Amino acid sequence: MAVKTQRGLVYGPSGQRLDLYRPENASHPATTVLLWHGIGPDERDVLEPLARTAAARGLLVLVPDWRSDAADGGKAQLLESLAFARKEADGLGGDGESCVLAGWSAGSGAALGVALRPEITEGWRPKAVVGMAGRYDLPARTTGTAPLDDLAAGRAPAVPVHLVHGSRDTVVDARHSRDLAAALRATGRPVTLQEPDTDHAGVIMTEYDPAANRCVPTTAEHAVQAGRLVAEALAKAGGAS
């Protein structure tokens, strides 16, 4: 499916921007995915390969910049981007009130945090959460509390959680996703965990470039396959496949 792109949409008072990827000629509102990058400031471009792959599956994908080095750790910008998605997705060909919240690395815990603490969004929860290569024992950028601590305290996401973590990840060990999956299963919550044969960057169809000090697109087969797996998880989470 052909994909249409809009770049640099301002999403809130911070002046930060996001990119939009959507299927061309969709005959009905597309399932909406808000996809948060990791701890590197303003790295929405890093997620372009995955966003394009997901949009080709029929999803409207919004990828915002946010800055982990902001005074609040990025919380305000993350929540601004969520408010934008909820308010504007309908006019962009999607469904803002029933969207999938997804994140990679630090963005993963931030996404789950919203589902665990809906009071930060006036009671709203996403349709599902998809976490890629995340840690959940550290404070989420959206809430300031660790998702595993929230679970231990009796909080529940109340929505399906889908996890994908590269089995060869040396940046964030896959045991962090396994620990979360086990904690969710122990409380009877719906969760899936897939561990493709790839690394931290490969799970989003990239490889780390030391010279650029950032992840860049790659055609390595392990990364391409992992990205397709994530795109499938996003589509299934939103009921698009």
Side-chain angles (χ1 to χ4, degrees):
M1 184 181 297
V3 173
K4 183 177 181 179
T5 304
Q6 288 180 253
R7 301 185 188 279
L9 300 175
V10 175
Y11 65 73
S14 66
Q16 287 282 39
R17 297 177 182 271
L18 61 76
D19 294 338
L20 176 153
Y21 304 83
R22 63 183 170 193
E24 287 190 350
N25 304 317
S27 59
H28 54 78
T31 297
T32 300
V33 175
L34 179 62
L35 180 57
W36 286 335
H37 65 69
I39 202 167
D42 295 344
E43 286 193 342
R44 71 182 192 268
D45 60 297
V46 166
L47 291 172
E48 179 167 355
L50 175 60
R52 284 190 172 279
T53 302
R57 295 291 300 266
L59 304 172
L60 171 69
V61 185
L62 304 175
V63 187
D65 273 339
W66 64 280
R67 298 194 64 88
S68 61
D69 57 359
D72 65 354
K75 177 179 180 178
Q77 293 169 4
L78 289 163
L79 295 182
E80 280 178 23
S81 70
L82 177 54
F84 177 93
R86 292 177 61 194
K87 181 180 179 182
E88 304 295 341
D90 288 9
L92 297 169
D95 181 354
E97 281 304 295
S98 181
C99 73
V100 173
L101 192 51
W104 170 64
S105 198
S108 184
L112 182 58
V114 173
L116 288 165
R117 290 184 171 267
E119 65 270 18
I120 67 174
T121 52
E122 299 178 338
W124 179 88
R125 276 188 169 104
K127 185 173 185 177
V129 171
V130 178
M132 296 150 269
R135 284 190 66 167
Y136 306 96
D137 59 336
L138 299 176
R141 296 282 172 158
T142 46
T143 64
T145 58
L148 282 172
D149 289 345
D150 282 342
L151 283 168
R155 288 181 173 266
V159 300
V161 177
H162 303 277
L163 305 173
V164 183
H165 207 128
S167 62
R168 294 190 281 114
D169 194 330
T170 59
V171 177
V172 178
D173 195 279
R175 67 178 174 81
H176 292 290
S177 288
R178 295 181 200 131
D179 289 347
L180 176 63
L184 288 166
R185 290 183 186 122
T187 60
R189 300 296 169 180
V191 59
T192 65
L193 170 59
Q194 300 181 82
E195 297 185 39
D197 180 27
T198 192
D199 55 20
H200 193 68
V203 81
I204 57 165
M205 308 180 86
T206 65
E207 62 183 5
Y208 179 66
D209 181 351
N213 191 29
R214 66 193 296 112
C215 294
V216 297
T218 182
T219 58
E221 185 64 18
H222 68 90
V224 171
Q225 291 299 325
R228 289 174 179 167
L229 185 69
V230 173
E232 181 180 358
L234 291 169
K236 288 184 175 179
S241 69

